[in-house]
Amino acid sequence: MGGAMLRDLAIVATAFEVNVVEARRAGLVGVLALGLGTVLPFLVGAVVAWAFGYRDAVSMTTLGAGAITYIVGPVTGAALGARSDVIALSIATGVFKAVLVMVGTPFAAKFIGLDNPRSAMIFGGFMGTVSGVTGGLAATDPKLVPYGALTATFHTGLGCLVAPSVLYFIVRALVG
């Protein structure tokens, strides 16, 4: 098992600490957080890519996907045949987001009510970056880590499904 596989195993293993009754409490709001947490960062990433001169649909989609997570960016770029420099930028974008979430979570937790499993699941779905969410929640309240990691993991999977397909076709329809 290499580094990436070990990391993924550790992320999946955190889900074993989740209380299923608590997980169901996220409900429709949790699903909405997953949707918004996928689409909004993608939109911001694609718009920033366009502003910096990346006008083709493949590059804009890859960089938008990188804003979802640093895993979704290269998966999308590889699926669409993006250039290696664009894939590298998508990874950097995702890493920047992960660090921002990791560092900012403890400071924002009190203001956003991040103090229970339901709010941690919504937060994980909205922020999406597994490493950022788990690191930020570990610094806030270690008991919340499995809940945030659970939805953040779903977020990564959702991004890997929709970015190289649905979101790409939308971008391609808009920019040609």
Side-chain angles (χ1 to χ4, degrees):
M1 281 177 47
M5 289 180 71
L6 188 58
R7 178 206 62 221
D8 294 343
L9 175 67
I11 290 167
V12 171
T14 62
F16 286 105
E17 293 293 319
V18 171
N19 180 337
V20 177
V21 175
E22 290 291 339
R24 287 190 175 151
R25 289 186 59 211
L28 185 59
V29 176
V31 172
L32 183 62
L34 277 169
L36 286 174
T38 301
V39 173
L40 291 178
F42 178 84
L43 181 62
V44 169
V47 167
V48 170
W50 185 84
F52 277 92
Y54 292 94
R55 305 291 165 94
D56 62 292
V58 170
S59 295
M60 288 178 66
T61 302
T62 301
L63 292 168
I68 296 172
T69 74
Y70 65 81
I71 295 170
V72 177
V75 167
T76 300
L80 299 177
R83 298 185 332 253
S84 62
D85 61 319
V86 173
I87 292 174
L89 281 172
S90 77
I91 295 168
T93 302
V95 169
F96 179 73
K97 176 185 172 184
V99 170
L100 229 71
V101 171
M102 194 179 308
V103 171
T105 299
F107 297 107
K110 189 183 339 178
F111 299 108
I112 62 174
L114 189 52
D115 58 3
N116 60 71
R118 183 172 190 250
S119 65
M121 290 182 68
I122 293 167
F123 179 76
F126 193 71
M127 292 294 111
T129 170
V130 178
S131 54
V133 167
T134 55
L137 288 176
T140 303
D141 182 355
K143 289 182 235 154
L144 299 178
V145 170
Y147 298 98
L150 179 71
T151 52
T153 303
F154 279 121
H155 181 276
T156 299
L158 179 64
C160 286
L161 288 172
V162 299
S165 56
V166 175
L167 296 175
Y168 168 69
F169 289 122
I170 292 170
V171 171
R172 194 173 80 179
L174 292 172
V175 300

